């Protein structure tokens, strides 16, 4: 909606009080009324607006001599128009600031409104009323009055931010709940306010305060309607002093963050004695990650990361003297480690999995089907074509794919730049992404959103693209529609609904593999500086960055992050956050609380009898009722078809006992670990080539792109050759 064009303004010499003037009167509310319009009962507002003659700002660069009096133009609002009061008030606000052409004048106007905003009582300047994501400290309070309208009070320790708050309160204070909730963050885009060079942070302030206003409005409506509130998700609160779990699932996650010292000692001893390196994925079980994180302090050849870095870390460990590599992940990860070590000339180094059974992956399985090969057959008939395959696939899939269509692997962190560079480098290219359907749909949606950006904004993402090029590539971007990760698939509607209701003002993180509804939510948060969408490493880096920024501000703060990926990431997050807090604790008395929220479905908890297990945690569920609860759902590993998923059952096949068993049996002189060893592919592709050799080519193409930021000449030649026969 274009608010700036929604009202007619007629010249007039009359004058009246500004719509934003502060009333000095009080009503029955214990808190002061901020804006004089709201002193008028709602059932008398129509007659009030019939007599209202003016809404206009002072001339550019000036402030009124009387802060509650403006010279203005006549405007008449009909009774039907008053139902759109907040948009009309925002339209007036937009017109006022757009009339000020110089940034300094707009800042002066903000400071003027800040001076009119009454201070918030000390009783309301609490942590629970803080608005997250603002550079300055902002407090917001809200109540519903007797007529069902929402009253807002706000304050900040920054005068400019206080001006923002004054403007937003002027628009929404006294509005009905539906009017508050209908206002969109995009509607604030026309407000051209801020200091040169820092406009984005100012825009974020507008948006974050608005989101907090709407969250409080929903809570007040639910309270009035006596709706049963959502149960909060479980969470871990990290401080410099320790960790506080909230909820049984969080308690289970926290239990292993302080690992058994004897187990740590046993692991370190065998790793040192036998020169064993360990590479593990972020999604490991908390017990395993807790042990590994503690063991890292005494044995440096332990690395926990996303799948991209695991093979690189293994090569570094072997170069440093490790004789064996153990892989804690799913089978395609150990295959990648084996293949990359072979490519680096370390074929004599043994690579070991953590199970004598297959450790699967739903995405890898989706790509190892006739349906996926049929998808690529279609691609091979559309020249020129490039297959961008997610690294979460088997080496066999990579090899078979590469013989059908020239293929490059990608990760969730580099998939977008890979695709953009490929489209820029090869004219009329068709790109076929797979196998993750959610990621494919999210990529396409991301590019669709880019068509609404300016050429300058697009150039910051990729210098060789603009709106026209993004529009032209969309019909040539294809994605496979039958592949999902069982973990991220379960971040569905229930989870998104609860996040919207309870955590919309928190920092939102989402893996690129989540369903579209969760993706859109996180992307909206990202646009206002409150979210990240990407890989596990992107999520970890985002959390670390926001915690460091809070430490740099040197004020007490509470940061809340919704973890939109597998809960196994929490161990690495806790370790990183504790390191940051510990490093600042000696030089600052600032108290920073970092809360990690797990979006786990309410159905992901299983009640059991008190005699079932000695390790149960007792949870009080009322005045007298004590329920013993264990984390996890009856169908396995804390996942629920009704909402979020606690952890990946495949990853949990990598147990601590398996790791110790493998390590104690190395070197495998009696061939006890035959089923655990990652063997080279001895079979051949349909064209009679080694699966290991051909399967490594897409990975090496990605390595080249990572290093040079462009496709290799070899890959471009393959793409432009007939059906990729240039290989």
């Amino acid at each position: 909606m274009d608010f700036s064009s929604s009202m007619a303004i007629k010249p007039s010499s009359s004058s009246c009080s500004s719509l934003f003037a502060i009333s000095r009167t009080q009503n029955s509310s214990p808190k002061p009324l901020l804006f004089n319009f709201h002193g008028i009962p709602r059932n008398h507002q129509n007659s009030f607006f019939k007599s209202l003659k003016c809404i206009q700002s002072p001339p550019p660069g000036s402030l009124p001599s009387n802060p509650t009096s403006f010279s203005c133009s006549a405007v008449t609002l009909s009774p039907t128009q008053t139902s759109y009061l907040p948009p009309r008030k925002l339209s007036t606000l937009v017109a006022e600031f757009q009339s000020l052409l110089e940034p300094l004048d707009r800042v002066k106007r903000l400071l003027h409104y800040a001076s009119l905003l009454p201070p918030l009582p000390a009783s309301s300047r609490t942590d629970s009323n803080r608005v997250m994501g603002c550079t300055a400290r902002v407090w917001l309070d809200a109540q519903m009055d007797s007529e069902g309208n929402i009253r807002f009070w706000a304050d900040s320790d920054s005068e400019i931010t206080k001006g923002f708050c004054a403007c937003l309160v002027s628009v929404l204070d006294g509005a009905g709940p539906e009017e508050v909730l209908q206002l969109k963050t995009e509607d604030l885009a026309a407000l051209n306010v801020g200091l040169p060079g820092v406009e984005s942070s100012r825009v974020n302030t507008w948006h974050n305060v608005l989101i907090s206003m709407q969250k409080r409005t929903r809570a007040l409506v639910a309270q009035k309607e006596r709706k049963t509130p959502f149960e909060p998700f479980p969470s871990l609160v990290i401080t410099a002093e320790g960790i506080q779990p909230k909820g049984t699932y969080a308690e289970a996650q926290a239990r292993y963050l302080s690992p058994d010292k004897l187990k740590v000692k046993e692991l370190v001893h065998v790793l040192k004695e036998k020169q064993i390196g360990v590479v593990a994925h972020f999604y490991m079980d908390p017990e395993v990650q807790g042990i590994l994180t503690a063991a890292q302090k005494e044995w440096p050849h332990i690395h926990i990361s996303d799948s991209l870095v695991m093979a690189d870390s293994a090569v570094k460990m072997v170069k440093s003297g490790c004789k064996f590599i153990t892989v804690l992940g799913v089978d395609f990860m150990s295959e990648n480690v084996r293949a990359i070590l072979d490519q680096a000339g370390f074929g004599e180094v043994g690579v070991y999995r953590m199970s004598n059974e297959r450790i699967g992956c739903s995405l890898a399985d989706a790509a190892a089907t006739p349906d996926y090969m049929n998808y690529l057959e279609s691609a091979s008939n559309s020249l020129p074509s490039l297959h961008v395959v997610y690294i979460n696939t088997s080496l066999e899939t990579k090899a078979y794919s590469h013989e059908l269509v020239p293929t490059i692997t990608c990760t969730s962190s580099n998939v977008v730049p890979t695709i953009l560079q490929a489209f820029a480098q090869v004219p009329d290219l068709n790109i076929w992404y797979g196998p993750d359907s959610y990621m494919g749909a999210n990529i396409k949606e991301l590019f669709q959103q880019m068509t609404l950006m300016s050429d300058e904004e697009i150039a910051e993402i990729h210098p060789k693209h603009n709106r026209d090029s993004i529009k032209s590539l969309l019909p040539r971007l294809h994605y496979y529609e039958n592949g999902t990760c069982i973990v991220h698939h379960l971040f569905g509607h229930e989870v998104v609904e609860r996040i919207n209701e309870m955590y919309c003002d928190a920092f939102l993180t989402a893996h690129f593999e989540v369903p579209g509804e969760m993706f859109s939510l996180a992307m909206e948060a990202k646009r206002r500086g409150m979210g990240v969408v990407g890989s596990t490493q992107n999520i970890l880096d985002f959390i670390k960055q926001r915690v460091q920024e809070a430490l740099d501000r040197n004020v007490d703060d509470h940061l809340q992050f919704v973890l939109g990926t597998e809960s196994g990431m929490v161990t690495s997050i806790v370790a990183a956050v504790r390191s940051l807090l510990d490093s600042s604790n000696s030089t600052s008395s600032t108290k920073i609380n970092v809360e990690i929220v797990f979006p786990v479905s309410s159905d992901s908890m299983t009640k059991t009898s008190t005699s079932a297990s000695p390790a149960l945690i007792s949870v009080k569920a009322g005045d007298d009722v004590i329920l013993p609860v264990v984390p996890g759902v009856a169908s396995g590993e804390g996942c629920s078809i009704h909402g979020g998923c606690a952890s990946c059952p495949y990853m949990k096949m990598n147990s601590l006992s398996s790791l110790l068993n493998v390590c104690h049996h190395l070197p495998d002189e009696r061939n006890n670990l035959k089923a655990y060893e990652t063997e080279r592919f001895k079979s051949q592709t349909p064209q009679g080539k080694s699966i290991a050799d051909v399967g490594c080519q897409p990975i090496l193409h990605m390595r080249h792109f990572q290093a040079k930021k462009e496709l290799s000449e070899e890959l471009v030649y393959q793409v432009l050759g007939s059906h990729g026969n240039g290989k």
Side-chain angles (χ1 to χ4, degrees):
M1 180 176 182
D2 183 2
F3 295 121
S4 60
S5 61
S6 63
M7 58 185 294
I9 300 179
K10 303 176 182 179
S12 172
S13 59
S14 61
S15 65
C16 69
S17 299
S18 165
L19 211 114
F20 307 110
I22 307 298
S23 171
R24 307 302 181 187
T25 63
Q26 302 281 333
N27 69 353
S28 58
S29 170
K31 297 184 178 180
L33 277 174
L34 301 188
F35 302 97
N36 56 19
F37 160 71
H38 298 299
I40 301 171
R42 199 164 182 79
N43 57 352
H44 296 307
Q45 288 173 8
N46 287 348
S47 60
F48 169 77
F49 274 99
K50 287 179 181 178
S51 63
L52 183 63
K53 299 291 185 180
C54 58
I55 303 176
Q56 185 168 312
S57 62
S62 67
L63 291 177
S65 56
N66 179 352
T68 61
S69 177
F70 285 55
S71 65
C72 39
S73 301
V75 61
T76 302
L77 302 182
S78 68
T80 58
Q81 289 173 313
T82 58
S83 62
Y84 300 100
L85 183 61
R88 288 191 171 276
K89 293 168 75 175
L90 180 59
S91 173
T92 303
L93 191 65
V94 168
E96 175 178 355
F97 279 101
Q98 287 186 342
S99 72
L100 303 173
L101 303 181
E102 296 297 326
L104 185 58
D105 292 331
R106 295 194 291 271
V107 172
K108 287 180 179 178
R109 186 58 50 84
L110 275 178
L111 294 175
H112 165 65
Y113 286 132
S115 70
L116 301 178
L117 190 66
L120 200 64
S123 59
S124 294
R125 295 168 70 97
T126 62
D127 288 344
S128 60
N129 283 338
R130 284 280 297 276
V131 176
M132 277 184 281
C134 301
T135 303
R137 286 188 294 177
V138 182
W139 296 270
L140 176 71
D141 202 358
Q143 292 180 3
M144 181 179 286
D145 64 22
S146 59
E147 297 182 1
N149 302 318
I150 309 300
R151 309 306 310 275
F152 293 106
W153 296 265
D155 205 350
S156 173
D157 57 5
S158 160
E159 289 301 307
I160 290 179
T161 303
K162 188 184 294 187
F164 291 155
C165 293
C167 292
L168 282 173
V169 170
S170 76
V171 171
L172 293 175
D173 184 37
E178 70 286 350
E179 295 170 323
V180 176
L181 298 176
Q182 284 172 1
L183 197 63
K184 305 298 183 184
T185 58
E186 298 83 38
D187 299 336
L188 304 178
L191 286 165
N192 187 18
V193 183
L195 295 170
V198 293
E199 285 81 359
S200 61
S201 65
R202 303 303 181 191
V203 170
N204 291 343
T205 299
W206 287 112
H207 293 178
N208 293 338
V209 175
L210 174 60
I211 293 296
S212 294
M213 287 175 148
Q214 293 175 332
K215 175 184 176 181
R216 285 158 173 77
T217 298
R218 281 190 290 268
L220 290 169
V221 170
Q223 182 180 354
K224 179 184 179 182
E225 296 176 352
R226 297 185 178 181
K227 291 182 178 178
T228 302
F230 280 115
E231 287 292 323
F233 287 132
S235 65
L236 286 178
V237 180
I238 312 165
T239 68
E241 290 74 34
I243 301 166
Q244 176 190 355
K246 294 182 177 180
T248 309
Y249 180 78
E251 290 172 357
Q253 296 291 306
R255 184 179 297 129
Y256 296 113
L257 294 175
S258 298
D260 186 319
K261 293 181 180 179
L262 291 178
K263 291 182 179 179
V264 173
K265 184 178 179 180
E266 178 186 1
L267 179 61
V268 169
H269 175 76
V270 69
L271 294 178
K272 284 184 175 180
E273 179 186 13
K274 301 187 178 183
Q275 298 291 291
I276 302 171
V278 181
V279 291
H281 194 271
F282 280 131
Y283 292 170
M284 285 301 97
D285 184 87
E287 179 186 20
V288 178
Q289 286 205 52
I291 296 288
L292 291 177
T293 302
Q296 279 177 321
K297 299 174 183 178
E298 301 181 53
W299 179 243
H301 305 304
I302 298 173
H303 191 80
I304 305 171
S305 67
D306 59 19
S307 55
L308 172 63
V309 184
M310 290 171 69
D312 292 338
S313 300
V315 172
K316 292 177 182 177
M317 291 175 187
V318 172
K319 288 181 177 179
S320 299
C322 289
K323 298 177 181 178
F324 309 97
I325 297 295
T326 51
V327 180
L328 280 74
V330 295
D331 283 346
F332 79 78
M333 297 176 183
S334 57
E335 290 173 4
N336 287 344
V337 171
R338 173 72 278 164
I340 294 300
L341 283 175
D342 288 347
Q343 289 286 328
F346 298 113
E348 77 285 357
V349 175
V351 176
Y352 292 88
R353 305 156 56 250
M354 292 299 107
S355 176
N356 56 4
E357 300 177 3
R358 179 177 174 273
I359 307 177
C361 168
S362 58
L363 279 179
D365 292 345
T369 60
D371 187 56
Y372 196 76
M373 290 301 113
N374 291 337
Y375 167 71
L376 293 183
E377 286 283 359
S378 300
S380 68
N381 295 321
S382 302
L383 298 179
S385 281
L386 174 67
H387 176 217
V388 179
V389 65
Y390 197 26
I391 198 168
N392 293 18
T393 48
S394 71
L395 203 65
E396 197 170 23
T397 292
K398 295 179 179 74
Y400 290 166
S401 299
H402 196 41
E403 287 200 335
L404 276 172
V405 185
T407 299
I408 182 173
T409 59
C410 71
T411 69
S412 49
S413 59
N414 67 22
V415 59
V416 170
T418 298
I419 290 175
L420 288 175
Q421 177 59 29
F423 274 125
Q425 203 167 334
V426 182
D428 302 319
L429 180 67
N430 289 281
I431 285 184
W432 306 77
Y433 169 81
D436 191 316
S437 304
Y438 286 135
M439 188 184 294
N442 292 341
I443 293 167
K444 196 142 191 174
E445 173 61 23
L446 178 64
F447 289 162
Q448 192 68 53
Q449 291 181 22
M450 287 177 65
T451 64
L452 305 177
M453 298 167 61
S454 68
D455 286 346
E456 292 75 15
E457 290 171 325
I458 294 172
E460 291 181 6
I461 298 172
H462 195 286
K464 294 185 179 180
H465 281 285
N466 53 37
R467 290 177 68 177
D468 290 338
S469 69
I470 297 298
K471 288 178 182 177
S472 70
L473 67 81
L474 278 169
R476 293 179 282 117
L477 174 61
H478 315 274
Y479 65 91
Y480 185 62
E481 298 185 5
N482 293 307
T484 58
C485 165
I486 61 171
V487 175
H488 295 103
H489 171 67
L490 296 171
F491 284 87
H493 177 72
E494 179 199 342
V495 165
V496 171
E497 185 179 12
R498 289 174 70 182
I499 291 173
N500 257 328
E501 189 79 16
M502 301 180 66
Y503 302 100
C504 60
D505 58 342
F507 294 99
L508 303 184
T509 73
H511 198 279
F512 230 140
E513 298 175 25
V514 297
E517 198 173 1
M518 181 73 176
F519 171 81
S520 297
L521 197 66
M523 282 297 295
E524 190 280 329
K526 183 177 185 294
R527 284 192 289 271
R528 53 189 174 88
M530 292 293 291
V532 63
V533 177
S535 67
T536 47
Q537 187 62 53
N538 295 147
I539 291 172
L540 180 60
D541 290 343
F542 174 80
I543 293 174
K544 288 164 59 178
Q545 181 183 355
R546 292 297 178 266
V547 173
Q548 186 60 59
E549 288 171 355
L551 292 170
D552 292 342
R553 287 194 293 270
N554 200 32
V555 295
D556 293 352
D557 210 346
H558 179 87
L559 308 180
Q560 190 178 60
F561 297 89
V562 176
L563 186 61
T565 189
E566 218 268 5
S567 61
M569 272 217 63
V570 70
T571 311
S572 295
I573 292 171
V574 169
V577 171
R578 286 296 301 273
S579 177
L580 290 173
L581 297 180
D582 290 345
S583 63
S584 68
N585 199 33
S586 59
T587 59
S588 173
S589 59
T590 301
K591 293 184 178 180
I592 304 292
N593 298 333
V594 180
E595 184 175 8
I596 309 299
V597 178
F598 303 98
V600 181
S601 167
S602 55
D603 292 338
S604 296
M605 308 300 286
T606 303
K607 299 178 181 64
T608 186
S609 66
T610 54
S611 60
S613 170
L616 298 179
I617 302 168
S618 295
V619 179
K620 192 167 185 178
D623 292 336
D624 300 307
V625 181
I626 301 293
L627 295 177
V629 184
V630 292
V633 72
S635 59
E637 294 305 332
C639 297
S640 167
I641 60 172
H642 300 289
C645 183
S647 59
C648 172
Y650 295 118
M651 286 292 189
K652 300 310 172 283
M653 294 173 70
N654 296 269
S655 65
L656 179 62
S657 60
S658 292
L659 175 58
L660 289 171
N661 175 58
V662 169
C663 290
H664 282 304
H665 279 89
L666 289 174
D668 188 25
E669 297 173 349
R670 297 184 179 180
N671 213 26
N672 292 322
L673 300 178
K674 186 65 177 177
Y676 291 81
E677 187 171 6
T678 303
E679 295 186 352
R680 298 168 182 83
F681 282 95
K682 297 178 181 178
S683 56
Q684 295 182 329
T685 68
Q687 294 184 10
K689 298 179 181 179
S690 163
I691 285 179
D693 289 342
V694 179
C696 273
Q697 291 304 307
I699 301 174
L700 296 177
H701 287 321
M702 182 183 71
R703 303 286 184 201
H704 183 280
F705 173 76
Q706 290 289 90
K708 305 293 185 180
K709 306 305 178 187
E710 62 180 21
L711 304 188
S712 67
E713 291 183 5
E714 178 187 8
L715 180 57
V716 172
Y717 178 73
Q718 293 167 359
V719 169
L720 296 177
S722 176
H723 295 265
N725 286 333
K727 293 188 283 294

